[in-house]
Amino acid sequence: MTRVFNFHVHVSQPELVRPETSTPREFKYLSNIDDQIGLRNHIPFVHFYPSSKDLCGRDPAALIKQALAKVLVYYYPVAGRLRSSEKGKLVVDCCDEGVLFREAKADITMSELRRINGGLKPPFPMLDQVLVDDIWGSYLITDAPLLRIQVTRLACGGFILAYTFNHCICDAYGAYQFITALSEFCLNLNLIGPSNLPCWGREILKPRTPPIISHPHPEYDISNHPTLAYTETDFKLLDQTSIFFSNADISLLKNQLNGHRNPTFDAVASCLWRARTRTLTKPNAITRLLFPIDTRFRCKPSLPRGYYGSAVVFPCAIAKANELMGKPLHYTASLISEVKKGVMGDEYRASVLDFIEMNGRRGFCMEEAFVVSDMCRLTFANIDFGWGPGVYGGPARAGTGLKPGMVTSIIGHKNEEGVEGVLALVSLPLESEDRFHMEVRKQIQSATSLNLISAL
């Protein structure tokens, strides 16, 4: 149950932070994965840090601002702007215009925040003013800052760090790499450089000559209809929620998958896909599940260590809604598993690059589509700026992307009772939220019953 606290946030005027020393002025190539229509959005993150007796009186905003100017020397394209180029392609203008930085002060403590929503996890009620959504240009892609950061001091001495990255400049892994580098400078302002030096390397992902589409790509919209444009209002019409799966819940779901290898994502994504389909989709519809797969460490040509661009492909599982609704969980998981097998080689990523090259910058297929992004291996909460690990660190909300409510993220999470598991961030119409939660609970209860029967 959400508790209501009345508190105020005093927000300063935003300013631009630039690299502290001169950096190259040049244009940088973006790969077809970077600048595809489906990634022309902003990805939001948030971290919550309690006060530290050892750092009493230390100003986190001043420290992070100072460290930011240092890390931008190494990540100087982040201080640039996206510009439109030929044939709808985007390029990065390394113009040194800077990233947007803002500091704020809130008259509420960390312990009070933890009581608002039964623990610090998305959604974060009443925190619009700390999630940088209201800063000018939050929905602009070109000719606007690529990174927006806000540090909000709390009455107890703790603080909140919130930021949004333009998705064309990095994916979640790249954001994690950048923020980790920022934290290293916070720990030592005299650092010679980050432990993982950034590498641009987008030219490695150029399409082939001639391009060859060697795989089907149902994840993309090949219709002649233009991609729908959604506004900030469309996103605000949806409600944010989250669902916690304990490790015990996950084990119960895994037991229903008939021995699939490495099934944690398969189990949770299958449960979410079925629940969403039962909640929002007509039985005779065709439904799609897209799930990003990071190709950094699995495809050749290999991407260099320190690569922070988007390296994800979006394989797509397709099913009739009534089959997802009526068949057991392992059927849904088998669809995901089969699609995974088809994209594990080097050729699939190359085919994606060539498909975009030949078909233009088409968006993802959005008709009855659902995206589940696995961020469990990105331990944002453990990033230390000098105050120790965070109480929470990770995505600030669900539903980012071109279509409101389309994208769900799952992250590793420990709840207020210390129980470990994963948290799914979901965005739905308000009237559908209770039904969705019920459909997830029904599947876990069913798995519990089946597990008990098999144990007899």
Side-chain angles (χ1 to χ4, degrees):
M1 180 178 178
T2 298
R3 296 184 63 180
V4 176
F5 286 85
N6 292 318
F7 66 96
H8 301 91
V9 179
H10 179 267
V11 181
S12 68
Q13 288 298 312
E15 57 185 304
L16 290 169
V17 176
R18 296 179 172 87
E20 72 170 6
T21 61
S22 62
T23 57
R25 302 296 175 92
E26 58 189 354
F27 286 91
K28 289 283 194 181
Y29 174 83
L30 288 172
S31 79
N32 283 350
I33 292 177
D34 288 315
D35 83 336
Q36 60 186 309
I37 293 293
L39 298 190
R40 294 187 182 185
N41 53 69
H42 300 273
I43 44 178
F45 299 92
V46 65
H47 304 244
F48 293 80
Y49 290 94
S51 60
S52 170
K53 292 181 180 179
D54 295 335
L55 294 172
C56 184
R58 190 78 184 268
D59 183 359
L63 177 63
I64 290 172
K65 180 182 173 183
Q66 190 175 358
L68 183 60
K70 294 178 178 293
V71 79
L72 285 174
V73 174
Y74 299 89
Y75 287 86
Y76 66 89
V78 177
R81 299 291 184 266
L82 293 187
R83 311 295 189 199
S84 298
S85 184
E86 296 177 353
K87 298 180 180 179
K89 191 162 181 64
L90 301 177
V91 296
V92 181
D93 179 3
C94 299
C95 57
D96 198 33
E97 290 187 20
V99 304
L100 212 58
F101 180 87
R102 187 170 72 177
E103 51 187 283
K105 185 175 182 180
D107 58 355
I108 191 170
T109 66
M110 184 69 72
S111 60
E112 289 171 334
L113 285 174
R114 296 179 79 154
R115 294 200 298 272
I116 287 179
N117 198 31
L120 273 178
K121 65 182 188 301
F124 300 109
M126 302 169 64
L127 291 184
D128 291 347
Q129 287 181 283
V130 305
L131 296 182
V132 298
D133 285 341
D134 63 322
I135 294 182
W136 174 87
S138 293
Y139 284 82
L140 296 178
I141 301 301
T142 59
D143 308 313
L146 302 176
L147 170 64
R148 300 171 178 83
I149 295 183
Q150 178 169 314
V151 180
T152 304
R153 306 177 194 87
L154 302 177
C156 59
F159 69 96
I160 302 168
L161 170 67
Y163 51 97
T164 63
F165 264 107
N166 187 309
H167 208 332
C168 296
I169 205 73
C170 69
D171 55 14
Y173 185 96
Y176 177 81
Q177 179 181 308
F178 178 94
I179 293 298
T180 298
L182 178 64
S183 73
E184 291 174 347
F185 277 100
C186 285
L187 294 173
N188 180 5
L189 289 171
N190 296 316
L191 197 67
I192 296 175
S195 60
N196 186 7
L197 286 172
C199 178
W200 189 255
R202 317 294 171 102
E203 296 81 5
I204 298 171
L205 297 182
K206 282 190 173 181
R208 295 172 288 195
T209 304
I212 304 168
I213 301 174
S214 55
H215 285 71
H217 293 287
E219 64 269 33
Y220 291 104
D221 182 4
I222 58 172
S223 71
N224 292 321
H225 303 295
T227 301
L228 294 176
Y230 294 91
T231 67
E232 181 178 354
T233 303
D234 294 313
F235 287 90
K236 289 183 176 178
L237 291 175
L238 295 174
D239 198 52
Q240 296 282 323
T241 188
S242 59
I243 297 179
F244 179 67
F245 294 82
S246 69
N247 286 341
D249 295 334
I250 296 168
S251 293
L252 289 169
L253 294 173
K254 282 183 180 181
N255 289 340
Q256 309 308 312
L257 302 192
N258 295 344
H260 289 304
R261 295 177 61 190
N262 192 26
T264 298
F265 173 80
D266 301 38
V268 174
S270 297
C271 179
L272 293 170
W273 189 16
R274 296 173 83 224
R276 191 176 189 275
T277 300
R278 288 173 172 171
T279 302
L280 299 177
T281 308
K282 295 179 180 178
N284 60 348
I286 300 296
T287 181
R288 294 170 171 81
L289 175 72
L290 283 68
F291 47 99
I293 290 181
D294 191 345
T295 67
R296 273 176 178 76
F297 311 112
R298 65 174 79 231
C299 289
K300 294 183 179 180
S302 299
L303 299 178
R305 185 174 184 267
Y307 186 90
Y308 60 100
S310 289
V312 292
V313 293
F314 289 79
C316 177
I318 302 175
K320 294 179 180 178
N322 56 9
E323 292 185 351
L324 282 188
M325 295 174 185
K327 292 187 177 182
L329 186 72
H330 67 76
Y331 166 77
T332 307
S334 69
L335 298 176
I336 297 172
S337 180
E338 284 302 310
V339 171
K340 280 184 177 180
K341 291 177 184 177
V343 305
M344 289 304 176
D346 303 334
E347 184 62 29
Y348 188 83
R349 184 178 71 184
S351 182
V352 168
L353 293 165
D354 292 350
F355 177 91
I356 297 171
E357 187 70 14
M358 293 182 69
N359 290 278
R361 260 137 266 288
R362 295 182 180 273
F364 295 118
C365 185
M366 292 192 261
E367 188 67 27
E368 302 298 347
F370 180 42
V371 181
V372 179
S373 179
D374 184 2
M375 297 189 189
C376 289
R377 67 191 178 95
L378 301 178
T379 53
F380 282 94
N382 291 339
I383 296 176
D384 181 5
F385 293 86
W387 281 256
V391 179
Y392 173 88
R397 62 177 183 275
T400 57
L402 287 181
K403 181 178 179 180
M406 183 174 167
V407 182
T408 283
S409 299
I410 58 173
I411 59 172
H413 186 70
K414 182 187 289 187
N415 68 13
E416 290 293 298
E417 289 73 41
V419 178
E420 295 186 346
V422 302
L423 190 70
L425 284 62
V426 184
S427 182
L428 294 161
L430 179 59
E431 64 273 14
S432 303
E433 186 179 315
D434 289 343
R435 169 75 185 275
F436 180 79
H437 279 265
M438 181 190 71
E439 292 293 348
V440 170
R441 288 196 301 270
K442 281 169 58 178
Q443 292 181 75
I444 295 173
Q445 290 166 359
S446 174
T448 303
S449 300
L450 291 170
N451 192 59
L452 290 172
I453 291 171
S454 64
L456 295 177

